[in-house]
Amino acid sequence: MRHTNSVQAYEEALRYISGGVNSPVRALRSVGAQPLFIRKAKGDTLTDVDGNRFTDFCLSWGVFILGHAHPSVNKAIRKAVSNGASYGIPSLPETALARLVNQHFPSMEKVRFVSSGTEAVMSAVRLARGFTRRSIILKFDGCYHGHADHLLVSAGSGVAGLSRASSAGVPEAFAACTLSLPFNDAEAVARAFRERGEDIAAVVVEPVPANMGVVLPENDFLPFLRRITAQHGALLIFDEVITGFRLSIGGAQQLLGVRPDLTTLGKIVGGGFPAAAFGGRSDVMALLAPDGPVYQAGTLSGNPVAMSAGAKTLQILSQKGYYAGLEEKADRFFAELSEVASGKGVRLNRMGSMFTLFFTSHPVRSFADAKRADQQRFGSFFRYMLANNFYLSPSQLEANFLSSAHSERTLGRFISLLKHFS
Ligand code: KE4
């Protein structure tokens, strides 16, 4: 497989862009591969600048549940952009998407659009601190909530690979306002609330973490977080940037029946454009400027093209039977994949259409467990799959995703490749 043009493209990119990439994990360093430069994407297929085609299981980190370049979404984008790309003044598509978000996430009584998941979580945390007049945020090891200073503590995703618990450049004073505990450890949470309950503004959690690889919540953990936050006057923030519209049309909160005070959304909600959202209880959202004292703003927030891409995506996802169909395909695939995986000493964690193959035979129910997986062996699996035209999310501590564009034949080939991997 030729990568000459990607190699040249990376050399050129290195001259102008730090690390040659605009997001660290794309450098493929943790999997020991050369970064690819993609020319186009359609359905489940990526085509790189050398003409190599790959079946994509990363889907721009979970965005393209419908597959890349869906014809109806593209048509909506073309129509929207012909009316101008941005106004910096309210437009009807913003309210249209807000109405759809509210319809599918009833806990999001009011919403505010932003341009990235980082902005969404950062703003929700500021709002929680403003509402409760408290400072401490409780998060979980291995969960990643974007790169706002105070959330880069024991984070997952691209930060997980760094040697330090949090990024350089984050003053200790900022990190000191963040407590990070093991996911699924109700006793540790109870102890934190016993000791500092009156200072805790919010618990922020990926309801089904995907940034340490996919790790499933133990049966009562999320309802427990709901009870203990309510008991102590702290807010519960569900970071559904990945799980929102992924696990169901109403995200993890609909599937698992836990109603948070605030929710953040990203990825799917923007249909591939830089758009994300935060929202929740009206009494909390009422504190946001211009109504209240908590400031938050954004030049391209509610961008009409992004709103149109998101709205068309959600309209297709809300069609009757969409998730049932995806779930059936996923169930068939994962039933066979987990059998082959266990024969290889590999652990499959999945929920809905997102999954991680952990290269360990032990159960993975926390960040500590996930970090014990054999990252070297995952790296060689990544490179083996790439050589066979499959592009996985390039890290052991990330999730992979199915889309409605993945065929049974492709999924069958994935399984047979794992079978022959040594
Ligand atoms: P962005 O700022 O990257 O749009 O969103 C941050 C974020 C917030 N919350 C969750 C649960 C997330 O997964 C993310 C971003 N996800 C990573 C992939 N796991 C983005 C990929 C990257 O950093 O390049």
Side-chain angles (χ1 to χ4, degrees), residues 368-411:
D369 293 344
K371 285 196 288 186
R372 277 195 284 274
D374 183 342
Q375 306 212 11
Q376 295 299 318
R377 195 164 166 235
F378 175 82
S380 53
F381 179 63
F382 176 89
R383 296 192 299 275
Y384 160 79
M385 292 298 271
L386 195 68
N388 284 284
N389 303 88
F390 278 61
Y391 184 81
L392 302 186
S393 293
S395 163
Q396 171 67 98
L397 302 175
E398 292 283 1
N400 294 279
F401 304 93
L402 301 185
S403 76
S404 29
H406 285 99
S407 67
E408 300 284 352
R409 186 173 160 278
T410 297
L411 300 181

Side-chain angles (χ1 to χ4, degrees), residues 249-322:
I249 194 68
Q253 56 193 266
Q254 179 187 71
L255 195 69
L256 303 174
V258 177
R259 186 181 174 110
D261 299 301
L262 293 173
T263 297
T264 55
L265 299 172
K267 299 187 196 276
I268 295 173
V269 77
F273 280 74
F278 65 103
R281 281 169 37 189
S282 302
D283 61 330
V284 179
M285 294 295 286
L287 267 70
L288 264 185
D291 296 339
V294 178
Y295 194 68
Q296 180 276 330
T299 304
L300 297 174
S301 298
N303 174 278
V305 181
M307 299 292 103
S308 304
K312 179 52 74 179
T313 300
L314 300 196
Q315 278 160 16
I316 297 168
L317 290 174
S318 61
Q319 282 165 3
K320 194 166 164 26
Y322 177 83

Side-chain angles (χ1 to χ4, degrees), residues 141-389:
D141 302 343
C143 287
Y144 177 72
H145 303 291
H147 62 90
D149 282 347
H150 52 282
L151 288 164
L152 283 177
V153 175
S154 303
S157 187
V159 182
L162 300 182
S163 53
R164 41 201 179 283
S166 63
S167 167
V170 177
E172 262 319 300
F174 285 30
C177 285
T178 306
L179 285 181
S180 194
L181 300 174
F183 184 72
N184 277 326
D185 189 339
E187 182 37 46
V189 175
R191 192 167 48 249
F193 272 96
R194 277 197 302 274
E195 290 165 5
R196 307 196 64 178
E198 69 283 359
D199 299 329
I200 296 176
V203 171
V204 60
V205 64
E206 292 180 65
V208 181
N211 284 291
M212 51 180 121
V214 175
V215 168
L216 304 189
E218 313 274 281
N219 27 15
D220 186 48
F221 188 60
L222 295 176
F224 162 74
L225 292 182
R226 177 60 288 176
R227 290 193 301 272
I228 198 162
T229 45
Q231 199 185 334
H232 287 267
L235 298 188
L236 179 59
I237 303 175
F238 270 11
D239 179 353
E240 296 223 39
V241 164
I242 285 185
T243 55
F245 307 110
R246 167 60 59 182
L247 296 183
S248 83
I249 194 68
Q253 56 193 266
Q254 179 187 71
L255 195 69
L256 303 174
V258 177
R259 186 181 174 110
D261 299 301
L262 293 173
T263 297
T264 55
L265 299 172
K267 299 187 196 276
I268 295 173
V269 77
F273 280 74
F278 65 103
R281 281 169 37 189
S282 302
D283 61 330
V284 179
M285 294 295 286
L287 267 70
L288 264 185
D291 296 339
V294 178
Y295 194 68
Q296 180 276 330
T299 304
L300 297 174
S301 298
N303 174 278
V305 181
M307 299 292 103
S308 304
K312 179 52 74 179
T313 300
L314 300 196
Q315 278 160 16
I316 297 168
L317 290 174
S318 61
Q319 282 165 3
K320 194 166 164 26
Y322 177 83
Y323 285 94
L326 186 61
E327 197 70 16
E328 269 163 43
K329 178 164 73 175
D331 286 348
R332 282 194 300 275
F333 174 54
F334 292 127
E336 208 180 330
L337 186 68
S338 62
E339 214 174 296
V340 172
S342 54
K344 297 266 175 189
V346 175
R347 198 90 185 182
L348 170 68
N349 278 11
R350 60 91 38 143
M351 185 171 271
S353 56
M354 64 185 201
F355 69 104
T356 298
L357 287 168
F358 284 104
F359 280 70
T360 174
S361 50
H362 302 292
V364 178
R365 53 184 292 277
S366 69
F367 193 33
D369 293 344
K371 285 196 288 186
R372 277 195 284 274
D374 183 342
Q375 306 212 11
Q376 295 299 318
R377 195 164 166 235
F378 175 82
S380 53
F381 179 63
F382 176 89
R383 296 192 299 275
Y384 160 79
M385 292 298 271
L386 195 68
N388 284 284
N389 303 88

